[in-house]
Amino acid sequence: MAPITTESIQLHINKCKVYVDFMLSQQQWSGLTKAEVEQWLSNFRDLDLYEQYLVYKLLASLIYYSEKDVIDALNEGINSRLFYDVVLDKQISTGFSISQHTIQNIVKEELLETRFIPLLDRNTPHESGNYVSRLLVQQGIIQPKQSMFLDALGDEFQKGPFKNLVIVDDCVGSGDQLRDFWKKAEVSVSGSTIPLAAFCLENHIKAQYLTLFGYDRSILTLEKEFKDLTVCCVRALSDSQRVFSENSYVWANELERQQAIKLFSTLTADNGIPLYGYKGLDFAFIMHQTIPDWSLPLFWKKTPDWNLLMRRKNSNV
């Protein structure tokens, strides 16, 4: 490995600046402006050149899903993931001889028998779940009547039974929000309430949780934990995509990783900001106009002396 020099450090910083400008200009970092990026970078203006190099490496390593990425993931989740088992059973029964057109019709038929509700946080509509619900309707993936809040689910079933229920969300880090929701959610039926899980079981409704993005370890844990809820994640993030993990893709080597941990630990401590996000997670993850609290707080926390990169919604996901 070639020794690091002042010239090579400056060259890397310049390349990162070009990359960031390109991502902004192409709307790949949709929902984020150059002014907001510059304001966040002003937190580091007093650092030396090598420390700025570490900051730019972190910024250029953002896992950023644009609005188009979100819509693509949503379409994939609906058309290729949710009804995979139904399609597979049909393929097996026909000796894998059915056409793509037939497969699409199977998905359409299942979709008509499906209702969608956003994941709720502490009995308040979770903005990100609502965003996914709105996209489902706006993109013409489902009919408006198929999307509703939990409190309307009982009345909807009485109007006409359906066989699939999908809880939609944008992303999952620890999985705590889903655990809390599935444990406490209730459906109102004829003036009385019944747990959502029991409602689905009694009415032979297949319940699924569809999240567009998620931490793969948490997804695997949730899949094992829930026997009455199918968990489906479209895009999974791994430990290698965590900023400070031993096998993080962000840093060139172990020495650089340790230097980055030392730098950002000092900066966050000096400004009253936790180094790690919710449940000790440390992703540099942003989804169109949304940053979860399991991303590094130095991106979304604001103090009198610290400028945030993006404001987040208040929920533990």
Side-chain angles (χ1 to χ4, degrees), residues 214-249:
Y215 178 32
D216 60 1
R217 284 180 177 265
S218 294
I219 295 299
L220 288 172
T221 299
L222 291 170
E223 288 174 344
K224 295 176 182 178
E225 192 173 324
F226 294 119
K227 304 303 180 184
D228 51 359
L229 179 68
T230 300
V231 176
C232 177
C233 177
V234 182
R235 303 272 189 272
L237 306 174
S238 68
D239 279 332
S240 66
Q241 293 164 307
R242 294 176 61 174
V243 173
F244 300 126
S245 67
E246 291 185 1
N247 63 334
S248 172
Y249 78 104

Side-chain angles (χ1 to χ4, degrees), residues 134-175:
R134 288 195 298 270
L135 279 181
L136 282 167
V137 175
Q138 291 171 357
Q139 295 297 311
I141 300 172
I142 64 173
Q143 300 174 25
K145 66 179 182 181
Q146 291 179 267
S147 177
M148 63 204 66
F149 289 119
L150 177 64
D151 57 8
L153 197 62
D155 290 341
E156 175 66 16
F157 189 79
Q158 289 182 325
K159 292 177 185 176
F162 49 87
K163 65 179 185 180
N164 302 306
L165 174 67
V166 179
I167 303 164
V168 294
D169 199 11
D170 60 349
C171 59
V172 58
S174 68

Side-chain angles (χ1 to χ4, degrees), residues 80 157 197 224 285 296 314:
S80 302
F157 189 79
K224 295 176 182 178
F285 171 85
L296 292 176
N314 296 314

